[in-house]
Amino acid sequence: MKMTGAEIFLECLKREGVKHVFGYPGGVILNIFDLLYDDKDIQLILTRHEQGAVHAADGYARSTGKPGVVLVTSGPGATNTVTGIATASMDSIPLVVFSGQVPTMLIGNDAFQEADIVGISRPCTKYNFLAKDTKDLSRIIREAFHIATTGRPGPVLIDLPKDVTASKADFVWPEVKIRSYNPTYEGNKWMITQAAHMIAKSKKALIIAGGGVILSGGSKELKELAEFTEIPVTMTLMGLGSFPGTHRLSLGMPGMHGTYYANKAIQESDLLIAIGMRFDDRVTGKIDAFAPNAKIIHIDIDPTSIRKNVRVDVPIVGDVKRVLTVLNKVLKEDIKEQWTEVRRAWLKQIDIWKHERPMTYTYSDEVIKPQFVVEKIYELTKGDAIISTEVGQNQMWAAQFYKFDKPRMWLTSGGLGTMGYGFPAAIGAQIAHPNKLVIDIAGDGSIQMNIQELATAVINKLPVKVAILNNHYLGMVRQWQELFFNERYSYTHLEVIPDFVKVAEAYGAVGLRATKPSEVEPVLKEGFKIKKTVFMDFICDWKEKVFPMVPAGAPIDHMLFEEKSEKAEKKLKAVK
Amino acid sequence: MRHTISLLVENRFGVLSRISGLFSGRGYNIESLSVGETIDPEISNMTIVTSGDDQIIEQITKQLNKLIDVIKVVDMTELDHVEREMVLIKVAPRQEDKAEVLRIAEIFRGRIVDSSQRTYTIEVTGDEKKIEALIELLRPMGIKEFVRTGKIAIAREGVKK
C-alpha cells in the first residue's frame, strides 16, 4: 500500500512503541504535524524551545530506559537541538531526533531555514541519516531506533526533507541488518576468569560503578557481586542509583566532589573493578597519581572506553549485566574463599575513613544551607522521588546529600554538564511517570536557562517540583574564583534575579519561598502536596561551597575541606 | 611511530567526513589519506597514514572500528604488506640539466607523461623512500611542483613452500 512519508513516519513510530514525542513545529515538518493533529496513539508534547524538547526526551529516556523521541523543524529548530543531543551523547542516552529539512531540490542552496544539521550533529550523534528517498524512510527509522538503543546507547538524528514526507512509497518493515555494526555483548570468558582470580587474590578491592550499570540493567548483578565478595562500591555521578546509596558497602561518589572515603579507598586499593564507567577526569583527578597501587579490571561495552585514560590489566568488552552474571557464577562455583575474612581489615580501614571525614556540612539556624534543603528533600521523599538537577553546585549537593537506592531515579547531565537540563528533563520524566514525585534541584542561574518550559509543565498539568537553591551567583564558578582566582568574582554575580515566585505565578504555576531554615520543611511539604507545577525558591547562603573538593588536575586524595568550628558541629548534632 | 591503516567502509556520502571528523575532533594527525572503490562497488577502501604512540594508535583503530560505516580496520604496519604511492613531478631544468633529469627518471622507472619547452612531468610509483629519494635528487634541478597520491597498501599473501 502506498503511503506518504509522513504516514510512514507515524506507522514506524507506532511499531517502535512510541507513545510520546517531544517537539516544536515549523514550516518543512508540517506534513507530519498535520497527521499528529488527530492521531490518537501518539501524543506530542509541545515544549517552548527545541532544546527543552531534547532534554525532556532525554529525561523520559533516562527514567524509563526507552528511547526518547524528538520532532523539530529545519534550520534553527534543528540547530537548537544540538546542546540536547550532545548532552545525551556524552551520557550515552538513547534518543531519536527527527529534524525537518528543506526539500531535497533545495538542499545546498542556502534556502530559507536551511541548516546542514547532518553535518553539524555528526560529532555529537551516535549516527545520523539524511533520508533522501521516501522508500528508504522506514528502513532508516528502524535502523535509527536499533542503533540508538543497542550497544553503547546514544542519540541518532534523522533529517527529513519536506518532499520526502510528502511523496508516497510502499510501506516496508525490513529486519535491521547493518554489517558494520555488531556490538559485543558477551564478555570474553577467559578474561572474566582472570578477573575472578584477581578478585579472589585481592585484599583491598573496590568497585567503581558507572552509568553503564544502569544502562544495561545490571544493578541486581552488581549488588550480588558486591555482597557476595564483600567489596565496597563507589558510584560515579552517572552511576548513582546503580548500587543502593544506603547500603553498608556504599562509599558514595568518588572524584572531584566525591567523599573522602571513596577517594582514599581508590588510592589505597589493590584492585579496582571499573564497571560501565569511563575514567572521566572528574573521577580520576591527576591521572598519573590515580590508584597507584591498584590493578584494574575494566568492564565496558565500548572498547574505546578501555585504555583511553588509564592503563588496564584485565579489559572485558561486553554488556555489564551479562559479564557480571558470568563473573558472579565463576566466583561462586570455581573460587572458594572466605570473603568476610579476606575483606575484614579493608572494610575496617574504610570505616575509619568514614568516621574521620563523613560527608557533612555546617548547619546554620540563621541562613539556609543548600545542603540542608537537599537533606530535607531526601528525608521527606524517603528517597522515593525522581531527582533531576541542573549543573553546578546544585548538582553536586544533590549528588552528595540525596541517597539513591534504585536506578533511573537520578537525571543529571554528567558528561557535558549542561545548565538548563534539569527542568525539561523533569518534565520528560513526569510525562513517563505521571504518579511519581519528580523534583528538579536547581540553581538560580541554571533554572533561567530553560525557564520557558514552565508553560509546558503547566499546560500538561505536570506536578513537577523545582527546588531552586538560590544564592544569586553562578555558584560553582564563583567557588572557583574564591579558591583559585583571589576572590575576583568576574561576571558570576547575577545581580538581577527574577522573583521566581512571581514568575511561576505568571505562568499559572505555584510559587513558594523560604528565607529561613525553619521555613524549609514547611515549604517543601506544601510544595509536594500541591498537585501542580511548583517553584520553591530557597534563599540560600551565598558563601556556601561544595566540599570536599579536589582542585582540577590534583591527585584525588588532595582534597580541600570546609573549615569548621566546633560550635557549628555541636549545633548540627543537636539538630540531627 | 607511523602507522598505515587500511579501512573498508560503506561507499556512501558523509563517510569521509565521519572519518576525517574523528581525526580532527580527537586531535589525531592524518599524514595522508587515499580513497577508492573496491571490488564491491558498495565498499570503499581508505588508506590512512597516521602517527602516535601505541596507546593513541590503539584508540585510533578502536574509534575507527566504532564508526558505524566502517566495516573493517587493519593496521598494516603489523602485517607483511606492500605499500605504493604515486607522484607526478613537474621539473623545469636548465638546458644543461635536461639529460640528467631524464636519466634520473629512467633510473626510477619513471615515465615522462608531459613535456613542454621548459618542463618535464614525470610519473613515478614506489614506496615512500623511493619517492622521497627521487624528490631529493630532482630538487636541485628545479622542481616546479609535485602532487602525491598518498599511500595505498595491501597485505601480502603467504607463499606455500
Side-chain angles (χ1 to χ4, degrees):
Chain A
M1 196 185 86
K2 293 265 188 218
M3 290 164 78
T4 66
E7 288 166 346
I8 290 173
F9 166 90
L10 223 59
E11 176 62 26
C12 289
L13 256 56
K14 287 176 190 176
R15 290 188 182 215
E16 293 292 348
V18 176
K19 297 264 181 290
H20 299 99
V21 176
F22 300 86
Y24 206 97
V28 296
I29 201 71
L30 277 176
N31 289 320
I32 290 176
F33 271 84
D34 190 54
L35 281 186
L36 284 170
Y37 191 50
D38 30 45
D39 191 86
K40 300 277 184 293
D41 302 327
I42 293 178
Q43 187 195 354
L44 185 115
I45 290 79
L46 174 70
T47 56
R48 293 302 182 268
H49 191 293
E50 288 89 351
Q51 187 191 346
V54 187
H55 291 326
D58 175 310
Y60 185 92
R62 288 188 209 225
S63 64
T64 60
K66 290 189 266 182
V69 181
V70 178
L71 180 67
V72 298
T73 193
S74 65
T79 56
N80 275 345
T81 64
V82 170
T83 302
I85 294 173
T87 303
S89 177
M90 287 286 266
D91 292 345
S92 313
I93 304 304
L95 296 183
V96 181
V97 177
F98 295 90
S99 54
Q101 183 55 280
V102 301
T104 43
M105 282 287 292
L106 289 179
I107 291 179
N109 285 10
D110 298 329
F112 176 64
Q113 292 196 329
E114 180 185 358
D116 173 18
I117 194 61
V118 171
I120 291 169
S121 67
R122 197 168 282 137
C124 61
T125 48
K126 184 170 172 187
Y127 197 65
N128 59 17
F129 298 87
L130 169 62
K132 282 170 110 175
D133 197 325
T134 310
K135 73 172 168 43
D136 297 329
L137 189 54
S138 53
R139 174 187 57 80
I140 287 175
I141 293 176
R142 206 169 180 192
E143 284 182 4
F145 275 89
H146 177 73
I147 291 170
T149 53
T150 54
R152 179 176 177 177
V156 176
L157 178 136
I158 303 176
D159 208 16
L160 298 170
K162 187 177 183 186
D163 52 324
V164 171
T165 60
S167 335
K168 291 189 169 184
D170 284 319
F171 184 83
V172 288
W173 192 241
E175 285 299 315
V176 173
K177 250 191 261 160
I178 310 170
R179 59 179 156 191
S180 51
Y181 175 69
N182 302 295
T184 308
Y185 287 98
E186 305 299 338
N188 179 298
K189 185 74 197 285
W190 189 82
M191 286 290 187
I192 295 177
T193 313
Q194 290 300 302
H197 284 293
M198 280 169 83
I199 291 170
K201 261 199 285 183
S202 71
K203 296 265 180 299
K204 297 189 273 187
L206 176 68
I207 292 169
I208 308 186
V213 178
I214 296 168
L215 293 168
S216 82
S219 292
K220 192 176 124 257
E221 289 73 14
L222 170 63
K223 190 159 170 251
E224 196 182 326
L225 170 68
E227 286 179 344
F228 176 65
T229 56
E230 286 284 303
I231 298 178
V233 184
T234 171
M235 296 81 77
T236 68
L237 184 68
M238 295 306 302
L240 292 175
S242 64
F243 184 79
T246 54
H247 198 283
R248 68 183 166 86
L249 289 168
S250 163
L251 302 187
M253 185 172 73
M256 181 174 273
H257 294 296
T259 63
Y260 170 74
Y261 32 97
N263 286 357
K264 283 297 263 190
I266 288 173
Q267 295 304 77
E268 289 286 318
S269 153
D270 64 358
L271 178 67
L272 282 186
I273 308 153
I275 309 177
M277 57 83 70
R278 58 185 175 83
F279 293 100
D280 181 88
D281 56 276
R282 288 308 197 245
V283 167
T284 62
K286 186 180 182 192
I287 207 99
D288 304 329
F290 178 76
N293 309 312
K295 292 224 184 304
I296 298 178
I297 298 167
H298 193 174
I299 305 168
D300 202 291
I301 198 159
D302 180 359
T304 68
S305 286
I306 295 173
R307 277 206 290 265
K308 183 170 66 183
N309 299 332
V310 298
R311 69 203 150 70
V312 170
D313 299 280
V314 180
I316 303 174
V317 177
D319 173 67
V320 164
K321 187 185 172 84
R322 296 197 203 181
V323 170
L324 290 187
T325 304
V326 179
L327 178 63
N328 288 342
K329 200 159 165 264
V330 172
L331 281 164
K332 281 185 180 169
E333 284 174 6
D334 297 359
I335 295 170
K336 304 272 173 280
E337 285 285 340
Q338 291 303 312
W339 298 106
T340 322
E341 202 46 54
V342 175
R343 307 278 179 235
R344 192 185 301 274
W346 175 230
L347 290 176
K348 195 170 169 212
Q349 174 61 61
I350 286 172
D351 234 33
I352 293 169
W353 289 327
K354 277 188 176 176
H355 282 95
E356 223 167 75
R357 289 208 181 259
M359 179 55 79
T360 183
Y361 66 96
T362 310
Y363 176 79
S364 153
D365 47 18
E366 281 140 29
V367 53
I368 300 175
K369 295 287 184 173
Q371 300 95 324
F372 177 67
V373 179
V374 177
E375 265 189 352
K376 277 287 165 205
I377 293 174
Y378 176 64
E379 220 179 279
L380 293 172
T381 59
K382 300 180 184 72
D384 190 29
I386 294 176
I387 303 288
S388 73
T389 72
E390 305 293 339
V391 164
Q393 290 183 317
N394 60 79
Q395 178 185 34
M396 290 300 115
W397 284 320
Q400 290 177 332
F401 291 95
Y402 200 97
K403 305 265 180 290
F404 296 90
D405 281 345
K406 279 182 267 172
R408 302 203 176 278
M409 305 282 276
W410 166 244
L411 321 173
T412 198
S413 168
L416 196 67
T418 308
M419 289 171 72
Y421 168 80
F423 186 34
I427 289 173
Q430 189 81 76
I431 293 277
H433 307 271
N435 299 317
K436 267 214 132 51
L437 182 56
V438 182
I439 307 165
D440 172 29
I441 296 180
D444 50 307
S446 287
I447 191 63
Q448 292 187 69
M449 282 214 182
N450 271 318
I451 201 160
Q452 76 286 347
E453 299 308 334
L454 259 168
T456 313
V458 168
I459 204 124
N460 289 290
K461 301 192 170 59
L462 302 176
V464 171
K465 316 298 175 202
V466 180
I468 302 169
L469 307 177
N470 188 344
N471 59 10
H472 283 61
Y473 274 94
L474 301 174
M476 185 57 93
V477 184
R478 193 207 63 83
Q479 169 169 345
W480 283 53
Q481 288 171 332
E482 181 180 332
L483 295 171
F484 313 119
F485 288 85
N486 297 321
E487 303 179 42
R488 286 161 53 80
Y489 301 128
S490 176
Y491 299 98
T492 45
H493 186 209
L494 292 178
E495 294 179 58
V496 176
I497 301 275
D499 182 330
F500 290 118
V501 172
K502 282 190 184 157
V503 172
E505 285 167 356
Y507 274 98
V510 176
L512 304 170
R513 178 172 293 125
T515 52
K516 293 198 296 264
S518 59
E519 293 166 358
V520 170
E521 190 169 326
V523 161
L524 285 169
K525 276 186 172 164
E526 194 189 342
F528 293 164
K529 212 167 60 196
I530 300 168
K531 299 280 172 248
K532 282 181 166 182
T533 310
V534 182
F535 265 33
M536 292 169 281
D537 187 17
F538 298 97
I539 308 301
C540 293
D541 181 1
W542 68 273
K543 292 190 289 301
E544 195 62 25
K545 291 181 283 295
V546 180
F547 287 116
M549 177 179 194
V550 180
I556 53 166
D557 50 354
H558 290 202
M559 309 177 82
L560 306 177
F561 298 95
E562 184 189 18
E563 289 168 25
K564 63 172 79 127
S565 65
E566 270 181 38
K567 207 171 115 201
E569 281 280 81
K570 268 186 199 150
K571 254 191 189 167
L572 179 66
K573 272 190 192 135
V575 167
K576 282 181 168 174
Chain B
M1 194 190 145
R2 294 176 83 187
H3 285 249
T4 304
I5 295 170
S6 180
L7 307 178
L8 293 180
V9 301
E10 296 289 350
N11 183 7
R12 16 176 123 110
F13 66 89
V15 175
L16 179 59
S17 141
R18 285 180 208 281
I19 289 171
S20 61
L22 187 156
F23 277 78
S24 62
R26 294 186 182 269
Y28 306 139
N29 178 33
I30 297 183
E31 292 184 15
S32 79
L33 167 72
S34 71
V35 192
E37 217 175 66
T38 64
I39 190 164
D40 177 350
E42 287 185 359
I43 298 178
S44 298
N45 176 281
M46 285 192 194
T47 309
I48 299 175
V49 179
T50 184
S51 55
D53 60 24
D54 288 352
Q55 197 202 351
I56 288 175
I57 298 296
E58 182 182 327
Q59 266 300 309
I60 290 175
T61 52
K62 282 176 170 178
Q63 294 283 358
L64 285 168
N65 258 314
K66 189 173 155 182
L67 290 179
I68 287 172
D69 289 321
V70 172
I71 301 164
K72 195 176 174 196
V73 180
V74 180
D75 186 352
M76 284 290 179
T77 319
E78 291 168 358
L79 302 174
D80 193 8
H81 68 285
V82 184
E83 290 182 4
R84 285 295 179 270
E85 187 178 354
M86 191 175 88
V87 65
L88 295 171
I89 308 182
K90 198 178 279 175
V91 199
R94 291 182 298 265
Q95 193 58 37
E96 61 266 35
D97 289 334
K98 280 193 168 171
E100 178 66 4
V101 166
L102 294 176
R103 208 170 63 82
I104 292 171
E106 200 186 328
I107 292 169
F108 280 80
R109 299 204 176 88
R111 294 197 303 144
I112 308 297
V113 291
D114 182 47
S115 65
S116 68
Q117 282 87 346
R118 290 196 55 247
T119 63
Y120 292 120
T121 300
I122 307 166
E123 172 202 309
V124 168
T125 307
D127 63 14
E128 198 182 2
K129 273 187 197 149
K130 178 176 166 185
I131 306 279
E132 308 256 296
L134 172 72
I135 290 169
E136 282 322 303
L137 282 174
L138 289 176
R139 202 182 288 280
M141 312 282 158
I143 297 176
K144 270 190 83 178
E145 66 172 304
F146 61 78
V147 178
R148 298 170 70 160
T149 56
K151 201 184 279 183
I152 56 170
I154 197 164
R156 284 187 199 272
E157 291 294 319
V159 178
K160 281 190 187 130
K161 284 178 185 164

